[in-house]
């Protein structure tokens, strides 16, 4: 049987996960797979970029090596930018002018960093102003690290996850760091005012200065950055400015190819576009009005698309995702999912504040079931709460029980350690007993810790506990 040619445009986290799902379904026997990636390196975990910024090796966050591609017969075209797809001739064109045939094409182009239109981004000669950077790629991290000097000052524009990670990393490198965030609440996409205020206090204790309700209005400098002027007119001296204030789905190739685009590339429940033979997953895809920028929905999309493309489950459909986030933000544990606030008079809201511990926990309850939760400073209860949320299980009469114990799911066989990949505690323990005695080996065997990475601390604890027990 002649193999069909599958082209994957993009080499980020979505493309990497799609490859995993395809290989798991023996797709290399059905498809001749080629991946086209703009970056000169293999895929890596962008959520962990802070490690590279503080001096870690890019290999630490690598998802796939060249050997991985070679061992599975997947062609990897690195440093190649696709500029257009011809859906009639079924050929794609690269920036070098080369053309390549395909039978099935998947857009996994991800997003670009949002750079606001403000004065002073470019120097007088029209080139980029020295000291202005975005925080999106390994190369960005290397460039920022090369400019960062202990005792110098940095302004980070954006108080979301990536912005706060960049700020923490720069602070660890010895810089004076100021974060500017347009919304009055840090991480406002995940947190309410109370959670945002608590996170702000924790970050300020690290030595980072935070200015909310404002943003950069102008970059001041003669050839290189010297200061940032804010909307209120205040001026903050800066040797370095890092933009991490949002992302924009990359749709330029889809548009140039006649693929329908709204905010992102429009797909249906099969992750298919209106154009036959063309699909899209990840941050560049828009399904039922939603564009997801979180790991879990992207993982779910990749599983469905792999089922569809290989025929492993022809009835597979993507029906949207319940959104939840569990991350360590600049060293502070944060989890959030479901509704952030009550929407009806009959909704219950349970809030627990522990000022001394720096902990805030909130539950939104509807009809006796969990409709949303928010945890800052302590996320031990998050895995159990996420499972109750996913399964639509009733809460106990005393709502605090699920927060006090963090053990609403009582057995290791049910208790999830990694929500991104739905890996249970018992599966992790079994892998340790089977010989996984290091964190990389454990992550590779179970896939736990390979998504957002927030469960790695818990994995390390289980590894230490059960490795000791095994040795004993």
């Amino acid at each position: 049987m002649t193999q069909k040619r599958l082209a994957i445009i993009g080499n980020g986290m979505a493309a990497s996960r799609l490859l995993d799902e395809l290989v798991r379904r023996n797709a290399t026997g059905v498809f001749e797979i080629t991946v086209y990636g703009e970056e000169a390196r293999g895929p890596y975990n962008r959520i962990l970029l802070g490690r590279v910024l503080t001096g870690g090796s890019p290999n630490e966050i690598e998802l796939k090596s060249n050997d991985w591609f070679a061992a599975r017969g997947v062609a990897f075209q690195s440093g190649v930018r696709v500029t257009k797809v011809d859906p009639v001739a079924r050929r794609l064109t690269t920036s070098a002018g080369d053309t390549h045939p395909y039978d099935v094409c998947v857009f996994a182009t991800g997003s670009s960093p949002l750079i606001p239109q403000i004065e002073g981004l470019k120097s007088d000669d029209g080139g980029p102003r020295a000291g202005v950077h975005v925080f999106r790629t390994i190369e960005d991290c290397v460039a920022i690290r090369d400019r960062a000097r202990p005792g110098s000052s940095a302004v980070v524009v954006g108080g979301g996850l990536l912005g706060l990670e960049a700020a923490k990393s720069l602070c660890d490198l010895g810089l004076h760091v100021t974060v500017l965030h347009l919304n009055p609440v840090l991480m406002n996409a995940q947190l309410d005012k109370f959670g945002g205020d608590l996170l702000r206090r924790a970050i300020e204790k690290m030595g980072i200065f935070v200015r909310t309700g404002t943003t950069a209005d102008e970059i001041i400098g003669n050839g290189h950055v010297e200061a940032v002027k804010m909307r209120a007119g205040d001026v903050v001296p800066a040797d370095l400015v890092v933009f991490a204030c949002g992302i924009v789905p990359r749709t330029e190739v889809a548009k140039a190819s006649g693929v329908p685009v709204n905010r992102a590339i429009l797909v249906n429940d099969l992750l298919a576009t209106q154009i036959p033979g063309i699909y899209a997953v990840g941050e560049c895809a828009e399904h039922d009005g939603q564009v997801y920028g979180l790991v879990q929905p992207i993982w779910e999309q990749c599983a469905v698309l792999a089922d569809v493309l290989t025929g492993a489950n022809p009835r597979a459909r993507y029906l949207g995702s319940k959104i939840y986030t569990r991350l360590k933000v600049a060293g502070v544990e944060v989890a959030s999912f479901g509704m952030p606030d009550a929407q009806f008079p009959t909704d219950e809201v349970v809030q627990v504040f522990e000022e001394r511990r720096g902990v805030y926990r909130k539950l939104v309850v509807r009809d006796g079931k969990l409709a949303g939760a928010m945890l800052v400073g302590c996320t031990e209860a998050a895995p159990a709460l996420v499972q109750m949320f996913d399964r639509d299980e009733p809460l106990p009469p005393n709502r605090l029980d699920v927060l006090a114990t963090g053990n609403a799911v009582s057995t290791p066989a049910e208790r999830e350690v990694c929500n991104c990949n739905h890996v249970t505690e018992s599966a992790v323990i079994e892998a340790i007993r089977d010989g996984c005695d290091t964190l990389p080996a454990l992550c590779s065997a179970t896939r736990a810790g390979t998504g957002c990475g927030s469960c790695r601390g818990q994995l390390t604890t289980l590894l230490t506990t059960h490795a000791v027990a095994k040795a004993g």
Side-chain angles (χ1 to χ4, degrees), residues 84-102:
K84 190 174 182 180
V85 173
D86 183 340
V88 176
R90 298 219 175 189
R91 302 184 72 85
L92 56 83
T93 304
T94 70
S95 56
D98 300 327
T99 61
H100 302 272
Y102 74 86

Side-chain angles (χ1 to χ4, degrees), residues 28 212 339:
T28 51
T212 57
M339 294 189 305

Side-chain angles (χ1 to χ4, degrees), residues 56-81:
S57 167
N59 293 337
E60 292 180 27
I61 65 172
E62 182 183 71
L63 293 174
K64 285 178 174 56
S65 65
N66 287 337
D67 290 342
W68 185 96
F69 289 94
R72 290 156 183 82
V74 176
F76 176 32
Q77 300 279 346
S78 62
V80 173
R81 180 168 62 89

Side-chain angles (χ1 to χ4, degrees), residues 407-444:
N407 197 25
V409 179
S410 58
T411 68
E414 292 183 299
R415 193 159 51 243
E416 283 190 353
V417 174
C418 175
N419 297 131
C420 292
N421 293 297
H422 300 296
V423 182
T424 63
E425 184 177 318
S426 61
V428 172
I429 295 170
E430 183 179 350
I432 295 170
R433 290 172 177 167
D434 285 344
C436 293
D437 55 1
T438 65
L439 184 59
L442 188 60
C443 293
S444 177

Side-chain angles (χ1 to χ4, degrees), residues 8-350:
I8 300 175
I9 304 175
N11 190 37
M13 293 177 70
S16 175
R17 181 58 171 230
L18 178 60
L19 286 170
D20 289 336
E21 298 290 353
L22 288 169
V23 169
R24 189 169 292 110
R25 293 160 178 78
N26 300 314
T28 51
V30 180
F31 290 105
E32 179 185 304
I33 304 174
T34 304
V35 178
Y36 299 87
E38 281 190 29
E39 293 186 58
R41 63 180 72 248
Y44 53 88
N45 191 332
R46 293 189 194 278
I47 300 170
L48 305 179
L49 278 172
R51 297 184 185 182
V52 179
L53 185 53
T54 50
S57 167
N59 293 337
E60 292 180 27
I61 65 172
E62 182 183 71
L63 293 174
K64 285 178 174 56
S65 65
N66 287 337
D67 290 342
W68 185 96
F69 289 94
R72 290 156 183 82
V74 176
F76 176 32
Q77 300 279 346
S78 62
V80 173
R81 180 168 62 89
V82 175
T83 56
K84 190 174 182 180
V85 173
D86 183 340
V88 176
R90 298 219 175 189
R91 302 184 72 85
L92 56 83
T93 304
T94 70
S95 56
D98 300 327
T99 61
H100 302 272
Y102 74 86
D103 296 298
V104 179
C105 177
V106 177
F107 280 90
T109 46
S111 298
S112 297
L114 173 65
I115 303 176
Q117 297 298 313
I118 62 175
E119 290 186 41
L121 286 177
K122 296 184 178 180
S123 58
D124 293 340
D125 63 4
R129 188 173 298 281
V132 176
H133 299 272
V134 295
F135 184 58
R136 183 66 178 170
T137 69
I138 286 177
E139 281 65 33
D140 293 333
C141 291
V142 173
I144 294 169
R145 194 170 69 198
D146 287 347
R147 187 170 180 85
R149 295 288 182 272
S152 60
S153 57
V155 170
V156 177
V157 183
L161 169 63
L162 283 180
L164 296 178
E165 283 295 328
K168 174 65 163 55
S169 298
L170 291 169
C171 183
D172 289 344
L173 289 172
L175 280 75
H176 181 291
V177 182
T178 302
V179 174
L180 307 181
H181 189 54
L182 184 58
N183 194 283
V185 177
L186 288 178
M187 286 193 69
N188 53 288
Q190 290 83 25
L191 300 177
D192 63 8
K193 182 181 185 305
F194 297 109
D197 286 348
L198 185 66
L199 178 62
R200 175 175 182 160
R201 291 200 296 273
I203 287 172
E204 288 178 334
K205 283 182 180 179
M206 298 175 189
I208 298 169
F209 294 86
V210 179
R211 304 282 293 269
T212 57
T214 188
T215 190
D217 196 48
E218 182 182 354
I219 305 297
I220 300 171
N222 183 17
H224 60 84
V225 173
E226 296 175 2
V228 175
K229 182 179 180 182
M230 293 183 288
R231 287 193 174 174
D234 301 5
V235 175
V236 179
D239 304 295
L240 179 67
V241 178
V242 177
F243 285 94
C245 50
I247 54 177
V248 180
R250 293 199 59 181
T251 60
E252 62 271 20
V253 180
K255 287 179 180 177
S257 308
V259 179
V261 170
N262 184 31
R263 198 153 55 97
I265 302 169
L266 294 169
V267 296
N268 63 7
D269 293 353
L270 297 173
L271 285 311
T273 71
Q274 193 179 69
I275 307 300
I278 297 182
Y279 299 79
V281 290
E283 292 176 341
C284 69
E286 179 176 340
H287 173 269
D288 198 22
Q290 290 285 329
V291 180
Y292 297 97
L294 299 171
V295 167
Q296 180 62 28
I298 295 172
W299 278 195
E300 293 171 2
Q301 290 178 4
C302 290
V304 170
L305 183 54
D307 276 341
V308 170
L309 294 180
T310 62
N313 179 8
R315 296 186 178 183
R317 298 291 184 273
Y318 179 69
L319 303 178
S321 298
K322 288 186 174 181
I323 300 174
Y324 52 86
T325 309
R326 185 187 178 195
L327 300 166
K328 184 167 280 191
V329 184
V332 182
E333 293 186 346
V334 173
S336 175
F337 53 88
M339 294 189 305
D341 289 296
Q343 295 181 333
F344 301 107
T346 53
D347 290 345
E348 302 174 51
V349 177
V350 180

